[in-house]
Amino acid sequence: GAVVSQHPSRVICKSGTSVKIECRSLDFQATTMFWYRQFPKQSLMLMATSNEGSKATYEQGVEKDKFLINHASLTLSTLTVTSAHPEDSSFYICSARRQNSNQPQHFGDGTRLSIL
Amino acid sequence: AQKITQTQPGMFVQEKEAVTLDCTYDTSDQSYGLFWYKQPSSGEMIFLIYQGSYDEQNATEGRYSLNFQKARKSANLVISASQLGDSAMYFCAMSLRGANSKLTFGKGITLSVRP
């Protein structure tokens, strides 16, 4: 079964709305989670690394004030797309790996965000 | 910085036949991991197989095997006995050692299995 849960799976909303996406590790603790963005028929691009109890680390070119990340517990990270616009429409997917483990990252099922 | 290269165009394979998906990588680090993920049209990322840079034997997981050639910096995925459900995007990825190391993905390869 799924070890990483991501909600919602799909969001359609008006321009200017802020959208929160949750990523939960279901049966393990994850001090670090990762947020990716994927445009149609393209690869996954890392947006930021979410660190429990501290600030997220953003990749170059990603606006930290636009994409707010909160990692308040060892099992939950949230990504908030603030004042979303049509160009923010994309597939957002999170991943997590068991703490102190070399096991592969497990991914959530992703969130399809459509901004009208 | 790490780089993953997947240059094959869309791949086609007949059901029940084997197919190889190519992946080359570049890194100056000696300790790293290589991964293959499958992404069906529904979008979820499914982990297939992992190869550590110090692993001497090629990784195998059921119908999946990884042809690891360290000197050539290649990590090709071999799928044996293809099934219709194997039709999907396949991504090669790598990370440096460490539990919190991020993944770097290739651009992916589309595989279509013909009945």
Side-chain angles (χ1 to χ4, degrees):
Chain A
V3 296
V4 174
S5 174
Q6 185 173 341
H7 291 283
S9 58
R10 185 170 183 94
V11 180
I12 303 173
C13 58
K14 293 180 179 179
S15 184
T17 306
S18 291
V19 178
K20 180 185 282 189
I21 303 169
E22 291 188 349
C23 182
R24 294 181 184 272
S25 55
L26 296 181
D27 63 351
F28 64 97
Q29 294 182 335
T31 54
T32 303
M33 292 185 179
F34 302 90
W35 287 97
Y36 297 84
R37 182 174 183 176
Q38 185 182 30
F39 290 106
K41 299 190 185 301
Q42 294 189 21
S43 187
L44 278 73
M45 297 300 296
L46 180 67
M47 298 175 66
T49 302
S50 174
N51 304 300
E52 188 268 336
S54 65
K55 292 182 178 180
T57 304
Y58 290 82
E59 295 298 301
Q60 191 173 5
V62 177
E63 299 176 59
K64 60 182 179 182
D65 295 331
K66 174 74 171 178
F67 300 99
L68 300 179
I69 291 173
N70 185 286
H71 195 147
S73 78
L74 286 171
T75 60
L76 174 64
S77 174
T78 61
L79 168 68
T80 301
V81 184
T82 61
S83 187
H85 292 284
E87 59 267 28
D88 298 322
S89 298
S90 190
F91 186 65
Y92 295 87
I93 191 166
C94 69
S95 72
R97 185 158 63 178
R98 294 178 190 272
Q99 193 175 354
N100 299 322
S101 167
N102 283 324
Q103 291 186 6
Q105 291 183 24
H106 293 280
F107 285 81
D109 286 345
T111 298
R112 293 193 188 279
L113 176 61
S114 299
I115 308 298
L116 304 177
Chain B
Q2 300 81 46
K3 184 178 179 181
I4 295 285
T5 302
Q6 295 179 264
T7 59
Q8 289 169 304
M11 294 287 288
F12 294 86
V13 64
Q14 204 68 32
E15 193 178 8
K16 299 181 184 178
E17 292 186 350
V19 63
T20 298
L21 306 182
D22 296 340
C23 173
T24 59
Y25 62 92
D26 190 24
T27 180
S28 57
D29 285 80
Q30 296 302 309
S31 183
Y32 51 87
L34 296 157
F35 305 79
W36 278 91
Y37 285 87
K38 171 185 177 182
Q39 187 180 42
S41 58
S42 51
E44 70 268 29
M45 294 290 284
I46 302 168
F47 165 74
L48 297 178
I49 198 166
Y50 165 80
Q51 180 85 40
S53 59
Y54 293 119
D55 294 342
E56 294 185 352
Q57 290 192 330
N58 287 343
T60 60
E61 290 284 350
R63 294 186 300 112
Y64 304 108
S65 61
L66 199 150
N67 184 0
F68 181 46
Q69 298 189 37
K70 195 170 182 178
R72 298 177 61 182
K73 293 189 175 179
S74 72
N76 299 340
L77 176 71
V78 180
I79 305 175
S80 62
S82 297
Q83 302 173 356
L84 296 178
D86 294 334
S87 295
M89 279 282 283
Y90 288 80
F91 291 97
C92 180
M94 85 180 295
S95 72
L96 300 182
R97 289 286 188 176
N100 300 327
S101 187
K102 61 186 180 184
L103 281 170
T104 300
F105 284 89
K107 69 175 185 178
I109 302 169
T110 300
L111 176 66
S112 299
V113 180
R114 292 170 168 156

